[in-house]
Amino acid sequence: MKILTILRKLGLVLSLAIVVSTVSAGETSTLKIPKAKQNFSAEQACVEPTDVMRRQHGLLLKHYRSDTMRHGVRTLEHSLVACINCHVTADEAGNYPTVHQGSEHFCRSCHTYAAVNIDCFQCHTSQPQESFSADMGPVQSD
Amino acid sequence: MNVSIQNRRSFLKKSAAITIAPGVLLYSISQAHHAEKPVKSTTRWGMLIDTNKCVGDCTGCVDACTEEHNLTEDVPVEIKPTWIRKVTLRDKQTGRESSLPIMCQHCENPPCVDVCPTGASFKRDDGIVIVDRHICIGCRYCMMACPYKARSFVHEALENQKPHSPRGKGTVEACNFCVYRIDTGVGPACVEACETEGHQAIIYGDMNDPDSAINQKLKEVSSSVLRPDLKLNPGIRYQGL
Ligand code: SF4
Ligand code: SF4
């Protein structure tokens, strides 16, 4: 997959930032990233190896968004909806946090820490929805 | 006959046909929810709306659209999102009234695409016209260019969007033919609602596919488009106007 090679190269700079934040997180424990609901497979936690996901998720999402929106390709790997469904977990009361509410939200937890502003969620929902199941995507009513 | 189910069946049939072993078949059916190939320019999605079957005071299609895309924000009426609306036409001479829904007509030559300075307003290969809101700058040229008044602008910040239907402040939106449903083999929400209401006034499908219900119906009955003088060749056709 050509995109991954490009992504790996581009990722070098960002990876430094992640290392720094992980180290300082160990000391100050300000960075708490909620765990995903399930592993992608027995061998792999997410749809790509964790280091690729850490550095490249933005680019993967952007690539996938063009495939989906322009060409109607709708697989679940690299889809924002599937990310949200698996990664955004409920709090003790069983409520899902929105990205606008607190650092319990998966995306927010890291992006606030890294001081990166994301505007995905002005349009996209940041919460999983009941009608969507992790492995089936949108449950169609028919 | 339930058109959306019929289409879904033929979709499943096709994906089953390319499988080689029973074990693989199961997998392929669960994958049938997801479109893995890019859409093709040999497809041309369209609808045929029978105005004789469309019932004047029924708003099933409009309500379904509102629900499907969560067009429910509490804003003044002049800035309410309108992806589909019911219109009553009255022949002044005879007094005959007909009722019909009007949504984005998914023009073959869409003026909204011509005028867009960023390429946000675009037509997919299969004829569905949508807005790429990642690059829409909210200039609203497309709203002015559309002769069918099909587009809306989002004026206020939104919450609680549906996962399959992202929408947001500062961008233009319109009927997207329920594109994510189409891609996964299910019919648009308005078509489904019209069936549920028992009116079956709308059929949809690939107008280029000789086996599709819409292709056959279009061959059989006389239909027309709105404002044919503009030569936009819309994908939405009306019967009985
Ligand atoms: S009806 Fe309007 S918005 Fe839809 S394709 Fe035609 S010009 Fe564009
Ligand atoms: S409002 Fe958005 S989609 Fe419409 S013409 Fe301007 S940039 Fe294009």
Side-chain angles (χ1 to χ4, degrees), chain A residues 84-115:
Chain A
I84 294 293
N85 276 339
C86 188
H87 276 289
V88 178
T89 42
D91 62 15
E92 274 134 34
N95 299 320
Y96 289 108
T98 78
V99 79
H100 311 291
Q101 281 158 4
S103 56
E104 300 298 295
H105 190 277
F106 176 75
C107 305
R108 171 102 180 246
S109 64
C110 202
H111 278 280
T112 304
Y113 189 83

PDB file of all heavy atoms in Angstrom, chain A residues 84-115:
ATOM      1  N   ILE A  84     -14.895   5.970  16.063  1.00  0.00           N
ATOM      2  CA  ILE A  84     -15.684   6.489  17.172  1.00  0.00           C
ATOM      3  C   ILE A  84     -16.412   5.351  17.888  1.00  0.00           C
ATOM      4  O   ILE A  84     -16.448   5.271  19.113  1.00  0.00           O
ATOM      5  CB  ILE A  84     -16.708   7.528  16.650  1.00  0.00           C
ATOM      6  CG1 ILE A  84     -15.990   8.758  16.105  1.00  0.00           C
ATOM      7  CG2 ILE A  84     -17.710   7.920  17.721  1.00  0.00           C
ATOM      8  CD1 ILE A  84     -15.280   9.580  17.118  1.00  0.00           C
ATOM      9  N   ASN A  85     -16.978   4.444  17.101  1.00  0.00           N
ATOM     10  CA  ASN A  85     -17.729   3.343  17.704  1.00  0.00           C
ATOM     11  C   ASN A  85     -16.883   2.505  18.635  1.00  0.00           C
ATOM     12  O   ASN A  85     -17.338   2.041  19.663  1.00  0.00           O
ATOM     13  CB  ASN A  85     -18.313   2.443  16.616  1.00  0.00           C
ATOM     14  CG  ASN A  85     -19.616   2.992  16.093  1.00  0.00           C
ATOM     15  OD1 ASN A  85     -20.255   3.781  16.757  1.00  0.00           O
ATOM     16  ND2 ASN A  85     -19.972   2.606  14.894  1.00  0.00           N
ATOM     17  N   CYS A  86     -15.618   2.295  18.258  1.00  0.00           N
ATOM     18  CA  CYS A  86     -14.779   1.414  19.052  1.00  0.00           C
ATOM     19  C   CYS A  86     -14.036   2.183  20.152  1.00  0.00           C
ATOM     20  O   CYS A  86     -13.837   1.680  21.243  1.00  0.00           O
ATOM     21  CB  CYS A  86     -13.804   0.695  18.139  1.00  0.00           C
ATOM     22  SG  CYS A  86     -12.873  -0.589  18.969  1.00  0.00           S
ATOM     23  N   HIS A  87     -13.636   3.382  19.856  1.00  0.00           N
ATOM     24  CA  HIS A  87     -12.738   4.093  20.767  1.00  0.00           C
ATOM     25  C   HIS A  87     -13.436   4.939  21.820  1.00  0.00           C
ATOM     26  O   HIS A  87     -12.865   5.232  22.866  1.00  0.00           O
ATOM     27  CB  HIS A  87     -11.788   5.000  19.972  1.00  0.00           C
ATOM     28  CG  HIS A  87     -10.584   4.280  19.468  1.00  0.00           C
ATOM     29  ND1 HIS A  87      -9.578   3.861  20.303  1.00  0.00           N
ATOM     30  CD2 HIS A  87     -10.207   3.886  18.223  1.00  0.00           C
ATOM     31  CE1 HIS A  87      -8.633   3.255  19.590  1.00  0.00           C
ATOM     32  NE2 HIS A  87      -9.000   3.247  18.322  1.00  0.00           N
ATOM     33  N   VAL A  88     -14.644   5.389  21.537  1.00  0.00           N
ATOM     34  CA  VAL A  88     -15.311   6.243  22.523  1.00  0.00           C
ATOM     35  C   VAL A  88     -16.106   5.345  23.470  1.00  0.00           C
ATOM     36  O   VAL A  88     -17.038   4.653  23.068  1.00  0.00           O
ATOM     37  CB  VAL A  88     -16.216   7.280  21.828  1.00  0.00           C
ATOM     38  CG1 VAL A  88     -16.938   8.125  22.867  1.00  0.00           C
ATOM     39  CG2 VAL A  88     -15.385   8.157  20.915  1.00  0.00           C
ATOM     40  N   THR A  89     -15.674   5.347  24.712  1.00  0.00           N
ATOM     41  CA  THR A  89     -16.253   4.406  25.672  1.00  0.00           C
ATOM     42  C   THR A  89     -17.109   5.138  26.702  1.00  0.00           C
ATOM     43  O   THR A  89     -16.895   6.315  26.993  1.00  0.00           O
ATOM     44  CB  THR A  89     -15.134   3.635  26.390  1.00  0.00           C
ATOM     45  OG1 THR A  89     -14.092   4.556  26.724  1.00  0.00           O
ATOM     46  CG2 THR A  89     -14.546   2.568  25.496  1.00  0.00           C
ATOM     47  N   ALA A  90     -18.056   4.418  27.251  1.00  0.00           N
ATOM     48  CA  ALA A  90     -19.010   5.018  28.184  1.00  0.00           C
ATOM     49  C   ALA A  90     -18.372   5.247  29.550  1.00  0.00           C
ATOM     50  O   ALA A  90     -17.465   4.528  29.954  1.00  0.00           O
ATOM     51  CB  ALA A  90     -20.221   4.114  28.319  1.00  0.00           C
ATOM     52  N   ASP A  91     -18.832   6.257  30.248  1.00  0.00           N
ATOM     53  CA  ASP A  91     -18.357   6.483  31.615  1.00  0.00           C
ATOM     54  C   ASP A  91     -19.110   5.548  32.574  1.00  0.00           C
ATOM     55  O   ASP A  91     -19.896   4.699  32.134  1.00  0.00           O
ATOM     56  CB  ASP A  91     -18.532   7.959  32.012  1.00  0.00           C
ATOM     57  CG  ASP A  91     -19.993   8.391  32.002  1.00  0.00           C
ATOM     58  OD1 ASP A  91     -20.871   7.516  31.969  1.00  0.00           O
ATOM     59  OD2 ASP A  91     -20.245   9.611  32.014  1.00  0.00           O
ATOM     60  N   GLU A  92     -18.871   5.714  33.882  1.00  0.00           N
ATOM     61  CA  GLU A  92     -19.465   4.775  34.842  1.00  0.00           C
ATOM     62  C   GLU A  92     -20.994   4.744  34.777  1.00  0.00           C
ATOM     63  O   GLU A  92     -21.630   3.714  34.973  1.00  0.00           O
ATOM     64  CB  GLU A  92     -19.021   5.111  36.269  1.00  0.00           C
ATOM     65  CG  GLU A  92     -17.694   4.462  36.615  1.00  0.00           C
ATOM     66  CD  GLU A  92     -16.738   5.425  37.279  1.00  0.00           C
ATOM     67  OE1 GLU A  92     -17.198   6.299  38.034  1.00  0.00           O
ATOM     68  OE2 GLU A  92     -15.514   5.318  37.022  1.00  0.00           O
ATOM     69  N   ALA A  93     -21.566   5.906  34.487  1.00  0.00           N
ATOM     70  CA  ALA A  93     -23.030   5.961  34.424  1.00  0.00           C
ATOM     71  C   ALA A  93     -23.565   5.420  33.100  1.00  0.00           C
ATOM     72  O   ALA A  93     -24.776   5.417  32.874  1.00  0.00           O
ATOM     73  CB  ALA A  93     -23.482   7.407  34.609  1.00  0.00           C
ATOM     74  N   GLY A  94     -22.647   4.996  32.211  1.00  0.00           N
ATOM     75  CA  GLY A  94     -23.100   4.434  30.939  1.00  0.00           C
ATOM     76  C   GLY A  94     -23.328   5.472  29.852  1.00  0.00           C
ATOM     77  O   GLY A  94     -23.881   5.165  28.804  1.00  0.00           O
ATOM     78  N   ASN A  95     -22.912   6.727  30.122  1.00  0.00           N
ATOM     79  CA  ASN A  95     -23.083   7.770  29.098  1.00  0.00           C
ATOM     80  C   ASN A  95     -21.807   7.938  28.283  1.00  0.00           C
ATOM     81  O   ASN A  95     -20.705   7.858  28.817  1.00  0.00           O
ATOM     82  CB  ASN A  95     -23.430   9.106  29.753  1.00  0.00           C
ATOM     83  CG  ASN A  95     -24.719   9.016  30.533  1.00  0.00           C
ATOM     84  OD1 ASN A  95     -25.673   8.383  30.093  1.00  0.00           O
ATOM     85  ND2 ASN A  95     -24.728   9.632  31.717  1.00  0.00           N
ATOM     86  N   TYR A  96     -21.988   8.208  27.006  1.00  0.00           N
ATOM     87  CA  TYR A  96     -20.833   8.473  26.161  1.00  0.00           C
ATOM     88  C   TYR A  96     -20.485   9.953  26.216  1.00  0.00           C
ATOM     89  O   TYR A  96     -21.372  10.795  26.039  1.00  0.00           O
ATOM     90  CB  TYR A  96     -21.128   8.065  24.721  1.00  0.00           C
ATOM     91  CG  TYR A  96     -21.195   6.573  24.532  1.00  0.00           C
ATOM     92  CD1 TYR A  96     -22.424   5.937  24.311  1.00  0.00           C
ATOM     93  CD2 TYR A  96     -20.045   5.795  24.584  1.00  0.00           C
ATOM     94  CE1 TYR A  96     -22.491   4.556  24.146  1.00  0.00           C
ATOM     95  CE2 TYR A  96     -20.102   4.422  24.414  1.00  0.00           C
ATOM     96  CZ  TYR A  96     -21.325   3.812  24.200  1.00  0.00           C
ATOM     97  OH  TYR A  96     -21.392   2.455  24.036  1.00  0.00           O
ATOM     98  N   PRO A  97     -19.225  10.291  26.458  1.00  0.00           N
ATOM     99  CA  PRO A  97     -18.850  11.704  26.463  1.00  0.00           C
ATOM    100  C   PRO A  97     -18.838  12.241  25.037  1.00  0.00           C
ATOM    101  O   PRO A  97     -18.609  11.484  24.099  1.00  0.00           O
ATOM    102  CB  PRO A  97     -17.430  11.671  27.023  1.00  0.00           C
ATOM    103  CG  PRO A  97     -16.903  10.319  26.678  1.00  0.00           C
ATOM    104  CD  PRO A  97     -18.079   9.397  26.674  1.00  0.00           C
ATOM    105  N   THR A  98     -19.129  13.540  24.860  1.00  0.00           N
ATOM    106  CA  THR A  98     -18.896  14.116  23.539  1.00  0.00           C
ATOM    107  C   THR A  98     -17.513  14.751  23.587  1.00  0.00           C
ATOM    108  O   THR A  98     -16.964  15.000  24.664  1.00  0.00           O
ATOM    109  CB  THR A  98     -19.924  15.208  23.161  1.00  0.00           C
ATOM    110  OG1 THR A  98     -19.562  16.412  23.849  1.00  0.00           O
ATOM    111  CG2 THR A  98     -21.328  14.802  23.513  1.00  0.00           C
ATOM    112  N   VAL A  99     -16.981  15.036  22.427  1.00  0.00           N
ATOM    113  CA  VAL A  99     -15.635  15.574  22.345  1.00  0.00           C
ATOM    114  C   VAL A  99     -15.589  16.974  22.968  1.00  0.00           C
ATOM    115  O   VAL A  99     -14.539  17.459  23.368  1.00  0.00           O
ATOM    116  CB  VAL A  99     -15.159  15.567  20.879  1.00  0.00           C
ATOM    117  CG1 VAL A  99     -15.746  16.737  20.108  1.00  0.00           C
ATOM    118  CG2 VAL A  99     -13.644  15.520  20.767  1.00  0.00           C
ATOM    119  N   HIS A 100     -16.774  17.618  22.995  1.00  0.00           N
ATOM    120  CA  HIS A 100     -16.817  18.983  23.524  1.00  0.00           C
ATOM    121  C   HIS A 100     -16.853  18.989  25.048  1.00  0.00           C
ATOM    122  O   HIS A 100     -16.627  20.005  25.669  1.00  0.00           O
ATOM    123  CB  HIS A 100     -18.048  19.719  22.983  1.00  0.00           C
ATOM    124  CG  HIS A 100     -18.195  19.588  21.500  1.00  0.00           C
ATOM    125  ND1 HIS A 100     -17.328  20.183  20.611  1.00  0.00           N
ATOM    126  CD2 HIS A 100     -19.077  18.885  20.744  1.00  0.00           C
ATOM    127  CE1 HIS A 100     -17.689  19.866  19.370  1.00  0.00           C
ATOM    128  NE2 HIS A 100     -18.733  19.083  19.415  1.00  0.00           N
ATOM    129  N   GLN A 101     -17.156  17.847  25.600  1.00  0.00           N
ATOM    130  CA  GLN A 101     -17.322  17.824  27.091  1.00  0.00           C
ATOM    131  C   GLN A 101     -16.120  17.462  27.934  1.00  0.00           C
ATOM    132  O   GLN A 101     -15.769  17.362  28.483  1.00  0.00           O
ATOM    133  CB  GLN A 101     -18.424  16.864  27.484  1.00  0.00           C
ATOM    134  CG  GLN A 101     -19.814  17.418  27.317  1.00  0.00           C
ATOM    135  CD  GLN A 101     -20.805  16.274  27.211  1.00  0.00           C
ATOM    136  OE1 GLN A 101     -20.464  15.135  27.333  1.00  0.00           O
ATOM    137  NE2 GLN A 101     -22.020  16.645  26.962  1.00  0.00           N
ATOM    138  N   GLY A 102     -15.295  17.108  27.928  1.00  0.00           N
ATOM    139  CA  GLY A 102     -14.344  16.612  28.916  1.00  0.00           C
ATOM    140  C   GLY A 102     -13.302  15.719  28.319  1.00  0.00           C
ATOM    141  O   GLY A 102     -13.385  15.314  27.188  1.00  0.00           O
ATOM    142  N   SER A 103     -12.306  15.477  29.110  1.00  0.00           N
ATOM    143  CA  SER A 103     -11.147  14.788  28.568  1.00  0.00           C
ATOM    144  C   SER A 103     -11.351  13.276  28.537  1.00  0.00           C
ATOM    145  O   SER A 103     -10.443  12.526  28.239  1.00  0.00           O
ATOM    146  CB  SER A 103      -9.932  15.128  29.419  1.00  0.00           C
ATOM    147  OG  SER A 103     -10.215  14.782  30.744  1.00  0.00           O
ATOM    148  N   GLU A 104     -12.532  12.822  28.969  1.00  0.00           N
ATOM    149  CA  GLU A 104     -12.809  11.385  28.909  1.00  0.00           C
ATOM    150  C   GLU A 104     -12.930  10.883  27.466  1.00  0.00           C
ATOM    151  O   GLU A 104     -12.896   9.693  27.222  1.00  0.00           O
ATOM    152  CB  GLU A 104     -14.129  11.064  29.624  1.00  0.00           C
ATOM    153  CG  GLU A 104     -14.143  11.443  31.088  1.00  0.00           C
ATOM    154  CD  GLU A 104     -13.080  10.672  31.850  1.00  0.00           C
ATOM    155  OE1 GLU A 104     -13.219   9.449  31.911  1.00  0.00           O
ATOM    156  OE2 GLU A 104     -12.125  11.293  32.350  1.00  0.00           O
ATOM    157  N   HIS A 105     -13.156  11.795  26.570  1.00  0.00           N
ATOM    158  CA  HIS A 105     -13.331  11.406  25.170  1.00  0.00           C
ATOM    159  C   HIS A 105     -11.987  11.033  24.557  1.00  0.00           C
ATOM    160  O   HIS A 105     -11.011  11.757  24.688  1.00  0.00           O
ATOM    161  CB  HIS A 105     -13.971  12.561  24.387  1.00  0.00           C
ATOM    162  CG  HIS A 105     -14.417  12.171  23.008  1.00  0.00           C
ATOM    163  ND1 HIS A 105     -13.549  12.144  21.943  1.00  0.00           N
ATOM    164  CD2 HIS A 105     -15.618  11.783  22.535  1.00  0.00           C
ATOM    165  CE1 HIS A 105     -14.216  11.763  20.860  1.00  0.00           C
ATOM    166  NE2 HIS A 105     -15.471  11.534  21.188  1.00  0.00           N
ATOM    167  N   PHE A 106     -11.966   9.898  23.859  1.00  0.00           N
ATOM    168  CA  PHE A 106     -10.717   9.366  23.312  1.00  0.00           C
ATOM    169  C   PHE A 106      -9.942  10.408  22.498  1.00  0.00           C
ATOM    170  O   PHE A 106      -8.763  10.660  22.740  1.00  0.00           O
ATOM    171  CB  PHE A 106     -11.023   8.146  22.437  1.00  0.00           C
ATOM    172  CG  PHE A 106      -9.816   7.589  21.744  1.00  0.00           C
ATOM    173  CD1 PHE A 106      -8.882   6.848  22.453  1.00  0.00           C
ATOM    174  CD2 PHE A 106      -9.608   7.798  20.387  1.00  0.00           C
ATOM    175  CE1 PHE A 106      -7.762   6.327  21.825  1.00  0.00           C
ATOM    176  CE2 PHE A 106      -8.488   7.287  19.755  1.00  0.00           C
ATOM    177  CZ  PHE A 106      -7.557   6.550  20.471  1.00  0.00           C
ATOM    178  N   CYS A 107     -10.595  11.047  21.544  1.00  0.00           N
ATOM    179  CA  CYS A 107      -9.895  11.992  20.668  1.00  0.00           C
ATOM    180  C   CYS A 107      -9.400  13.188  21.484  1.00  0.00           C
ATOM    181  O   CYS A 107      -8.270  13.633  21.357  1.00  0.00           O
ATOM    182  CB  CYS A 107     -10.805  12.491  19.563  1.00  0.00           C
ATOM    183  SG  CYS A 107     -11.530  11.167  18.595  1.00  0.00           S
ATOM    184  N   ARG A 108     -10.286  13.662  22.325  1.00  0.00           N
ATOM    185  CA  ARG A 108      -9.988  14.864  23.098  1.00  0.00           C
ATOM    186  C   ARG A 108      -8.831  14.614  24.077  1.00  0.00           C
ATOM    187  O   ARG A 108      -7.980  15.472  24.287  1.00  0.00           O
ATOM    188  CB  ARG A 108     -11.249  15.288  23.849  1.00  0.00           C
ATOM    189  CG  ARG A 108     -11.070  16.383  24.854  1.00  0.00           C
ATOM    190  CD  ARG A 108     -11.556  17.714  24.334  1.00  0.00           C
ATOM    191  NE  ARG A 108     -11.341  18.727  25.356  1.00  0.00           N
ATOM    192  CZ  ARG A 108     -12.315  19.371  25.974  1.00  0.00           C
ATOM    193  NH1 ARG A 108     -13.569  19.120  25.661  1.00  0.00           N
ATOM    194  NH2 ARG A 108     -12.035  20.272  26.874  1.00  0.00           N
ATOM    195  N   SER A 109      -8.808  13.418  24.673  1.00  0.00           N
ATOM    196  CA  SER A 109      -7.826  13.148  25.718  1.00  0.00           C
ATOM    197  C   SER A 109      -6.410  13.448  25.215  1.00  0.00           C
ATOM    198  O   SER A 109      -5.619  14.073  25.901  1.00  0.00           O
ATOM    199  CB  SER A 109      -7.940  11.697  26.184  1.00  0.00           C
ATOM    200  OG  SER A 109      -7.614  10.815  25.129  1.00  0.00           O
ATOM    201  N   CYS A 110      -6.116  13.026  24.011  1.00  0.00           N
ATOM    202  CA  CYS A 110      -4.773  13.222  23.493  1.00  0.00           C
ATOM    203  C   CYS A 110      -4.607  14.592  22.838  1.00  0.00           C
ATOM    204  O   CYS A 110      -3.583  15.241  22.968  1.00  0.00           O
ATOM    205  CB  CYS A 110      -4.450  12.112  22.506  1.00  0.00           C
ATOM    206  SG  CYS A 110      -2.696  11.867  22.291  1.00  0.00           S
ATOM    207  N   HIS A 111      -5.636  15.014  22.124  1.00  0.00           N
ATOM    208  CA  HIS A 111      -5.496  16.272  21.379  1.00  0.00           C
ATOM    209  C   HIS A 111      -5.413  17.480  22.308  1.00  0.00           C
ATOM    210  O   HIS A 111      -4.724  18.449  21.996  1.00  0.00           O
ATOM    211  CB  HIS A 111      -6.632  16.430  20.368  1.00  0.00           C
ATOM    212  CG  HIS A 111      -6.384  15.667  19.097  1.00  0.00           C
ATOM    213  ND1 HIS A 111      -5.568  16.156  18.109  1.00  0.00           N
ATOM    214  CD2 HIS A 111      -6.794  14.452  18.685  1.00  0.00           C
ATOM    215  CE1 HIS A 111      -5.503  15.266  17.128  1.00  0.00           C
ATOM    216  NE2 HIS A 111      -6.228  14.216  17.443  1.00  0.00           N
ATOM    217  N   THR A 112      -6.093  17.434  23.400  1.00  0.00           N
ATOM    218  CA  THR A 112      -5.968  18.522  24.360  1.00  0.00           C
ATOM    219  C   THR A 112      -4.548  18.545  24.905  1.00  0.00           C
ATOM    220  O   THR A 112      -3.899  19.580  24.996  1.00  0.00           O
ATOM    221  CB  THR A 112      -6.953  18.324  25.533  1.00  0.00           C
ATOM    222  OG1 THR A 112      -8.256  18.220  24.995  1.00  0.00           O
ATOM    223  CG2 THR A 112      -6.891  19.490  26.512  1.00  0.00           C
ATOM    224  N   TYR A 113      -4.079  17.348  25.237  1.00  0.00           N
ATOM    225  CA  TYR A 113      -2.730  17.227  25.782  1.00  0.00           C
ATOM    226  C   TYR A 113      -1.687  17.763  24.812  1.00  0.00           C
ATOM    227  O   TYR A 113      -0.756  18.464  25.182  1.00  0.00           O
ATOM    228  CB  TYR A 113      -2.443  15.762  26.107  1.00  0.00           C
ATOM    229  CG  TYR A 113      -1.164  15.586  26.860  1.00  0.00           C
ATOM    230  CD1 TYR A 113      -1.137  15.760  28.246  1.00  0.00           C
ATOM    231  CD2 TYR A 113       0.014  15.296  26.198  1.00  0.00           C
ATOM    232  CE1 TYR A 113       0.035  15.634  28.942  1.00  0.00           C
ATOM    233  CE2 TYR A 113       1.189  15.174  26.887  1.00  0.00           C
ATOM    234  CZ  TYR A 113       1.204  15.339  28.260  1.00  0.00           C
ATOM    235  OH  TYR A 113       2.368  15.224  28.955  1.00  0.00           O
ATOM    236  N   ALA A 114      -1.878  17.440  23.515  1.00  0.00           N
ATOM    237  CA  ALA A 114      -0.909  17.860  22.502  1.00  0.00           C
ATOM    238  C   ALA A 114      -1.207  19.266  21.972  1.00  0.00           C
ATOM    239  O   ALA A 114      -0.522  19.760  21.089  1.00  0.00           O
ATOM    240  CB  ALA A 114      -0.917  16.863  21.352  1.00  0.00           C
ATOM    241  N   ALA A 115      -2.257  19.898  22.524  1.00  0.00           N
ATOM    242  CA  ALA A 115      -2.663  21.236  22.101  1.00  0.00           C
ATOM    243  C   ALA A 115      -2.910  21.311  20.601  1.00  0.00           C
ATOM    244  O   ALA A 115      -2.494  22.228  19.919  1.00  0.00           O
ATOM    245  CB  ALA A 115      -1.638  22.286  22.529  1.00  0.00           C
TER     246      ALA A 115
END
